[in-house]
Amino acid sequence: MVSVGIVGGTGYTGVELLRLLLRHPQVTVRTLTSRTEAGKRVADMFPSLRGHTDLEFSDLDLEQLKQCDVVFFATPHGVAMQHAEQLVAANTKVIDLAADFRLQDLEQFEKWYGLQHSCPQILKDSAYGLTELNREKIKQASVIGNPGCYPTTVQLGLAPLLQSKNNLIQPSSIIIDAKSGVSGAGRKASLGMIYSENADNFKAYGVAGHRHHPEIVEALENISGQKGVFDSIIFVPHLVPMIRGMLSTIYVDLTDEGANTDLQSLYEHFYKDEKFVDVMPANSSPETRSVRGANELRIALYKPQPNKLIVLSVQDNLVKGAAGQAVQNMNLMFNFAEDAGLTGIGLLP
Ligand SMILES: NC(=O)c1ccc[n+]([C@@H]2O[C@H](COP(=O)([O-])OP(=O)(O)OC[C@H]3O[C@@H](n4cnc5c(N)ncnc54)[C@H](OP(=O)(O)O)[C@@H]3O)[C@@H](O)[C@H]2O)c1
């Protein structure tokens, strides 16, 4: 059995990791940290876990974490990079759900996260953890930067177009209109997240700039092998009054080559062996509730005009957008079946 530590066990992605890992046949969760709830039984805070675990929250103790085979950081940015070097030296793998190991461009990291990176060499050796697009590197890595939730919908939504050897789209035409449920902002209390501010309301945020923009640009460059052509893409996130779920509507101008290509077949072929990406029939409407609680991303394509494409991409932000993706990465790193612990079906209605 692989022993697991989770730093940040009281948050939404932390408890989602625990929900998934307690059902995983090849792991034991050994330690779960919280600065505020150390000593409290996990099941007393999360009654959904009563009868499934006797764990208590504990203080972050690096020596304890070093005893684990892998540690997940379900914490704000800046926490994992403080500990990664020592964990790697102790032969403990690290999977960070925050942004410390996502952006290779240090200038962009410092600009958007307001922090100097404390272990650039570890960052250099780390792997970006979007399994479907980076499998071989993830298998070899000791440190994984789990992708941001919006960037996951965008990358998997556009990868078949960008990895085609034909020139199918105009990169600068990409417009991403994305929506997230409120659990995307985490469990910490803040005025903007209270019920009376969010229920029966719908708004855009981060329109002038959002941290996921540079991550999307860097990732699309890596997927396509083209530098500098995605800088002017537009990304506007919105907050919708639901708890889980994320939908990105992506508008793209096609080249003549793209307009004359059977894109539905291209997508179906690209993802034919992927367990967690579902390409729906053309003109379908993927719904967030179809992936609620599941490690699944569902895509549908529309061609409203011969040279325009609309890609719809949905996922559960806490599962394929965070904890499920992290477990998928762990499965690869330890040579487990990629779907171990991840076979749950979405909860509908
Ligand atoms: N929510 C999503 O849909 C989503 C999706 C993708 C990625 N992410 C990323 O995943 C990370 C966790 O997100 P979340 O939504 O689970 O956040 P959250 O609900 O706010 O939970 C954060 C957790 O981190 C702990 N924590 C906070 N500051 C800490 C510190 N300095 N040292 C150690 N522990 C600390 C908190 O516990 P205590 O205060 O009790 O210590 C809490 O358990 C974030 O970086 C987020 O950007 C989230």
Side-chain angles (χ1 to χ4, degrees), residues 2 15 38 44-45 47 50 90 92 171 214 244 276 280-281 301-302 322 344 349:
V2 158
V15 70
D44 290 345
M45 172 168 271
R50 278 173 60 81
T92 297
R244 287 171 183 250
F276 300 121
M280 298 178 79
L301 305 180
Y302 280 81

Side-chain angles (χ1 to χ4, degrees), residues 22-319:
L22 288 173
R23 309 288 295 173
H24 194 293
Q26 285 142 301
V27 310
T28 308
V29 181
R30 182 187 182 119
T31 178
L32 186 70
T33 82
S34 162
R35 299 162 309 163
T36 54
E37 303 293 344
K40 187 170 192 156
R41 275 166 42 90
V42 173
D44 290 345
M45 172 168 271
F46 298 119
S48 56
L49 299 177
R50 278 173 60 81
H52 297 284
T53 179
D54 294 327
L55 274 171
E56 289 180 2
F57 294 109
S58 57
D59 285 320
L60 193 162
D61 174 348
L62 197 58
E63 293 312 310
Q64 283 254 354
L65 294 177
K66 285 182 187 171
Q67 307 298 315
C68 299
D69 297 305
V70 57
V71 173
F72 293 88
F73 282 87
T75 47
H77 58 271
V79 179
M81 69 181 182
Q82 289 170 31
H83 306 290
E85 207 152 11
Q86 294 185 64
L87 290 171
V88 170
N91 217 12
T92 297
K93 296 182 195 295
V94 171
I95 301 177
D96 181 28
L97 278 71
D100 299 7
F101 300 99
R102 290 182 193 159
L103 283 169
Q104 286 295 332
D105 184 332
L106 285 175
E107 239 176 71
Q108 290 288 345
F109 177 78
E110 285 162 21
K111 173 178 165 193
W112 287 95
Y113 292 93
L115 292 174
Q116 269 218 311
H117 208 286
S118 59
C119 50
Q121 189 55 47
I122 299 261
L123 170 67
K124 224 176 195 171
D125 297 338
S126 68
Y128 186 70
L130 189 49
T131 321
E132 286 75 7
L133 304 179
N134 207 16
R135 225 170 233 118
E136 291 317 308
K137 204 161 174 214
I138 292 166
K139 281 183 191 165
Q140 308 303 327
S142 299
V143 175
I144 302 290
N146 219 53
C149 42
Y150 286 120
T152 298
T153 59
V154 177
Q155 290 171 72
L156 293 177
L158 293 176
L161 300 169
L162 299 177
Q163 289 203 342
S164 162
K165 53 185 183 316
N166 299 324
N167 213 3
L168 301 179
I169 67 165
Q170 317 275 7
S172 62
S173 71
I174 297 170
I175 296 175
I176 303 146
D177 176 11
K179 287 105 186 162
S180 174
V182 291
S183 65
R187 190 161 174 265
K188 63 196 171 300
S190 75
L191 180 63
M193 290 297 134
I194 64 174
Y195 183 77
S196 48
E197 296 289 320
N198 280 296
D200 195 21
N201 190 31
F202 178 33
K203 65 174 183 187
Y205 65 101
V207 184
H210 186 282
R211 287 167 170 172
H212 286 177
H213 189 280
E215 184 183 339
I216 291 170
V217 170
E218 191 176 283
L220 297 187
E221 289 183 348
N222 289 337
I223 294 168
S224 66
Q226 288 182 283
K227 298 274 172 220
V229 296
F230 298 102
D231 294 345
S232 59
I233 65 170
I234 290 171
F235 166 61
V236 181
H238 300 73
L239 193 63
V240 290
M242 62 183 180
I243 297 169
R244 287 171 183 250
M246 179 165 280
L247 163 64
S248 289
T249 306
I250 309 171
Y251 303 87
V252 187
D253 286 354
L254 299 170
T255 58
D256 288 346
E257 179 88 35
N260 292 319
T261 300
D262 179 353
L263 299 176
Q264 180 68 27
S265 300
L266 177 85
Y267 272 67
E268 286 174 7
H269 182 74
F270 190 88
Y271 288 122
K272 71 179 178 356
D273 297 324
E274 295 298 345
K275 290 188 173 150
F276 300 121
V277 182
D278 175 32
V279 180
M280 298 178 79
N283 303 335
S284 304
S285 187
E287 299 181 44
T288 55
R289 63 182 186 157
S290 77
V291 290
R292 190 188 295 134
N295 191 52
E296 184 141 30
L297 182 135
R298 205 153 257 138
I299 295 175
L301 305 180
Y302 280 81
K303 250 177 109 177
Q305 293 170 28
N307 64 340
K308 300 262 182 204
L309 181 71
I310 301 174
V311 182
L312 300 168
S313 172
V314 296
Q315 69 177 3
D316 183 328
N317 52 294
L318 292 175
V319 192

